[in-house]
Amino acid sequence: MTKEEQKPGEEKEPKTRWTDCIYNPRKGEFIGRNASSWGLILLFYFVFYAFLAGFFCLTMWVMLLTLEDHVPKYNDRVPSPGLVIRPKSLDIVYNRSDPANYGQYIRHLDTFLQRYNDSEQASNELCLAGEFYEQDAEAQKKACQFRRSALRLCSGISDPNYGYSEGKPCILVKMNRIIGLKPQGEPYVNCTAKRDTPLSVEYFPAAARIDKMYFPYYGKKVHEKYVQPLVAVKLSLTKEDYNKEITVECRVEGSNLRNNDDRDKFLGRVTFRVLVTE
């Protein structure tokens, strides 16, 4: 009897096909597992990932219980604020004879000063100058008034062009906000040109002081109406200054705020360039 001959009573085994590794209809298996095996492994992974998700949510909930709503628990920011200017450009270049050329700076200043309008500031507090306005016990903090009109020639009220049309542009200087900051001394802004001859500068408000009544700041959520105090710097350029690039540096001085860190050129100071052509 040859190998191919089948003995009586023996059943011939069906030939296997490559598709059986995906689905085997004889054993009822899909990718090597039957229905009960797939059910057990899916149940295991469901329980496993449900546990991981629950554990993650629990740890997040416990962590959030340790945080305060309005003040960061860990503050890794520098203890002294940086200085920034408006218009928001470190290169102010324009032709004073062409309104379209300096129009972008005018629009930027108009938009920025909207919150400082006297009508907006009327609802804020008239605070005592020279003293910190501390409100630790208050749930909702009040803001001291800083009226746009205090910027006088740089307020955009008497001169809608902020001096740009006459070649004497106004630059607004402000400090970045730091929660809880209370500077010691009498901080003020001083701007100088990096050249041999001095640059004529006018400051508004007078003496370029940053009054203590605008400190401390309590955070955006509880101090909603707070606006940073500004110092307007009017560069009184002459004909000899036109068509020349002038580098101006403004520093906050008269206090314990740092302004000479070589690693951070914006810490307590800001440097910008001005070029006015005719």
Side-chain angles (χ1 to χ4, degrees):
M1 185 175 60
T2 62
K3 293 181 179 180
E4 287 78 8
E5 293 178 353
Q6 184 177 354
K7 293 180 180 181
E10 290 184 355
E11 294 184 2
K12 187 178 180 179
E13 293 185 4
K15 294 181 179 180
T16 58
R17 295 173 297 178
W18 68 270
T19 56
D20 289 346
C21 64
I22 300 176
Y23 175 67
N24 191 330
R26 297 181 303 281
K27 296 182 180 180
E29 294 178 345
F30 178 70
I31 315 181
R33 293 182 180 273
N34 57 27
S36 61
S37 177
W38 275 114
L40 289 173
I41 198 169
L42 290 175
L43 177 63
F44 168 78
Y45 279 111
F46 174 78
V47 173
F48 177 68
Y49 285 113
F51 170 77
L52 289 181
F55 184 73
F56 175 77
C57 292
L58 177 64
T59 55
M60 290 296 294
W61 177 70
V62 172
M63 185 193 70
L64 290 173
L65 289 178
T66 66
L67 303 179
E68 295 190 26
D69 291 335
H70 310 303
V71 180
K73 182 174 182 179
Y74 300 107
N75 193 343
D76 60 352
R77 294 186 63 181
V78 292
S80 294
L83 287 189
V84 293
I85 64 169
R86 295 294 183 271
K88 198 173 182 179
S89 174
L90 296 180
D91 291 288
I92 300 175
V93 181
Y94 72 96
N95 187 326
R96 75 185 190 99
S97 303
D98 184 6
N101 197 247
Y102 56 79
Q104 57 177 326
Y105 303 127
I106 305 302
R107 291 189 295 271
H108 191 122
L109 291 173
D110 282 337
T111 302
F112 174 73
L113 288 174
Q114 288 301 309
R115 293 192 65 193
Y116 292 87
N117 284 339
D118 290 9
S119 56
E120 292 283 335
Q121 291 297 309
S123 60
N124 288 341
E125 299 294 305
L126 284 170
C127 302
L128 185 62
E131 294 187 9
F132 294 123
Y133 188 35
E134 300 186 80
Q135 309 170 71
D136 296 339
E138 304 295 330
Q140 196 67 26
K141 316 302 182 186
K142 298 177 181 179
C144 295
Q145 291 186 12
F146 190 98
R147 292 177 176 262
R148 182 173 180 171
S149 56
L151 301 177
R152 296 174 58 193
L153 296 180
C154 291
S155 65
I157 299 173
S158 59
D159 178 12
N161 291 320
Y162 300 92
Y164 283 77
S165 59
E166 58 179 342
K168 298 180 179 181
C170 289
I171 311 296
L172 305 182
V173 181
K174 69 185 184 77
M175 291 197 304
N176 291 329
R177 302 178 184 184
I178 293 183
I179 294 176
L181 176 69
K182 291 191 287 186
Q184 303 302 313
E186 298 293 336
Y188 66 93
V189 172
N190 182 42
C191 297
T192 56
K194 292 186 175 182
R195 64 181 189 181
D196 295 333
T197 57
L199 177 65
S200 179
V201 176
E202 291 183 82
Y203 298 100
F204 308 102
R209 291 182 61 246
I210 301 175
D211 202 284
K212 287 183 178 180
M213 65 181 174
Y214 299 104
F215 302 97
Y217 170 61
Y218 288 94
K220 189 175 182 179
K221 286 189 175 180
V222 295
H223 223 159
E224 293 181 1
K225 292 187 176 182
Y226 178 85
V227 293
Q228 292 137 289
L230 305 175
V231 172
V233 181
K234 189 175 181 65
L235 305 178
S236 300
L237 304 181
T238 63
K239 272 189 170 293
E240 289 73 22
D241 296 320
Y242 297 155
N243 305 307
K244 296 178 183 178
E245 184 180 274
I246 302 174
T247 300
V248 181
E249 182 182 63
C250 295
R251 293 175 177 252
V252 58
E253 298 183 352
S255 70
N256 63 332
L257 301 178
R258 296 171 59 188
N259 62 8
N260 57 357
D261 192 331
D262 294 334
R263 296 171 298 176
D264 189 344
K265 63 180 180 179
F266 292 104
L267 189 64
R269 58 183 173 174
V270 61
T271 302
F272 57 94
R273 289 170 292 276
V274 178
L275 174 59
V276 178
T277 61
E278 292 186 282

